[in-house]
Amino acid sequence: MSPESEGTDDSQDVLYRLVDKESGTVLIAAEDLLNYFMEEDREPPETVTFVRAHHVGRARRKTEHAELQVVDRQGRTIGVYYLGRVSAEFRHELVSSGEDRPDLDYSFFGYICEYPWAGEIWRKWAMQRPVERGEWARYPSDWHRSWLHVVQNAWFDSGRNATRYETDGTAVIDSTGITTRAGFYCALGEAVNGAGGYFGSNRDAVFDCLRTMRRDGAVPFRLVWRNIAASREALGSDFTESVLALFEECAVETELSPE
């Protein structure tokens, strides 16, 4: 398939779509993406590579209003990144002889995502299986920031607000798997809003969730924090106490359990 042709967008394989936000035109759909999810201290690459392209739009090679969509196995959007200006840089030498799904390059003039494991996590979320409780804690600690990022992106892209949706009166945090501050916010979102749930990605964002919850008349909840000593050791007493002070300020009943 040449870059000028259009292929079939097989949604069961496609993970990313690059879309012109103004017209809704799909510029390219592909199975994977290279050089977009990067470490914070890495120099941004000149181009991002779309791996095994299924669809290459004929008319558009660049846009000032690009949107990168993450899609599930049914082709439904589960996450979105707003990129701004992008342009195609097709390299014919990247296409292997007989290869029907070429790798194609685009120059991104906006930001690169600074969550290096987000691409791997998106791939798992796209498989259309329910996210399990505690799933985030099975990953190495350096994945926690990326997991929290995916949770936040998917949460707001689904049209939900920064508030509480679960109806159970008690939210339980178990410190056993919490080794990072990002992991704490993963655990809090899950405790309040269920597996894959979001309830803030930092202290200010948690305050916003609590404030929105009260403004919208959401059902109050009681927080049980198990094995609080482990959290104080892993996250630092200052961090733990500041979070507890926030809950107290927002009238969240908190029960601290030593085990």
Side-chain angles (χ1 to χ4, degrees):
M1 181 176 71
S2 69
E4 290 76 21
S5 66
E6 291 196 20
T8 301
D9 184 353
D10 300 322
S11 60
Q12 68 271 19
D13 296 319
V14 165
L15 184 58
Y16 299 103
R17 287 192 298 243
L18 185 64
V19 177
D20 174 55
K21 195 171 184 295
E22 286 193 330
S23 66
T25 302
V26 177
L27 305 182
I28 189 168
E31 294 181 20
D32 207 350
L33 196 60
L34 300 180
N35 299 327
Y36 180 66
F37 302 104
M38 305 283 291
E39 297 279 358
E40 279 187 78
D41 55 357
R42 292 279 301 277
E43 191 70 25
E46 293 183 2
T47 60
V48 170
T49 301
F50 286 81
V51 178
R52 291 183 58 80
H54 286 235
H55 170 104
V56 183
R58 292 176 183 274
R60 302 295 295 273
R61 293 291 179 265
K62 62 182 179 180
T63 178
E64 299 294 323
H65 306 282
E67 177 178 273
L68 179 66
Q69 299 176 352
V70 187
V71 299
D72 65 15
R73 296 291 187 178
Q74 304 303 315
R76 294 172 296 207
T77 304
I78 58 173
V80 169
Y81 297 91
Y82 298 99
L83 304 177
R85 185 159 70 102
V86 302
S87 64
E89 295 193 6
F90 296 130
R91 300 181 184 180
H92 293 275
E93 65 271 18
L94 291 177
V95 184
S96 304
S97 176
E99 175 62 75
D100 63 343
R101 302 294 187 199
D103 298 352
L104 303 173
D105 286 358
Y106 264 80
S107 290
F108 282 20
F109 300 93
Y111 72 96
I112 298 298
C113 182
E114 297 176 343
Y115 297 91
W117 302 110
E120 297 296 325
I121 296 167
W122 279 124
R123 183 170 297 281
K124 292 183 179 296
W125 280 47
M127 293 172 64
Q128 282 301 97
R129 63 166 182 78
V131 177
E132 299 175 2
R133 281 191 175 271
E135 187 172 342
W136 62 270
R138 300 174 199 161
Y139 291 94
S141 60
D142 60 346
W143 286 54
H144 292 173
R145 287 181 64 253
S146 295
W147 181 278
L148 181 61
H149 161 75
V150 168
V151 165
Q152 183 175 8
N153 189 310
W155 185 263
F156 289 112
D157 185 64
S158 69
R160 288 171 290 196
N161 296 320
T163 187
R164 182 169 188 254
Y165 288 84
E166 290 280 283
T167 57
D168 188 359
T170 301
V172 179
I173 295 176
D174 188 343
S175 297
T176 304
I178 301 175
T179 58
T180 64
R181 293 183 182 184
F184 166 77
Y185 292 114
C186 291
L188 177 63
E190 182 174 272
V192 175
N193 275 319
Y198 172 84
F199 201 72
S201 57
N202 54 53
R203 191 180 183 280
D204 289 341
V206 172
F207 177 75
D208 286 341
C209 291
L210 290 166
R211 181 174 56 184
T212 302
M213 200 182 87
R214 287 190 300 177
R215 183 193 67 202
D216 294 346
V219 178
F221 66 94
R222 172 172 165 269
L223 180 70
V224 176
W225 195 336
R226 292 176 179 164
N227 199 4
I228 185 71
S231 287
R232 287 194 172 103
E233 182 177 352
L235 309 178
S237 292
D238 289 347
F239 174 82
T240 306
E241 294 306 318
S242 72
V243 171
L244 289 172
L246 174 62
F247 289 140
E248 182 178 2
E249 177 187 346
C250 295
V252 175
E253 180 186 351
T254 306
E255 177 185 330
L256 305 183
S257 171
E259 297 181 355

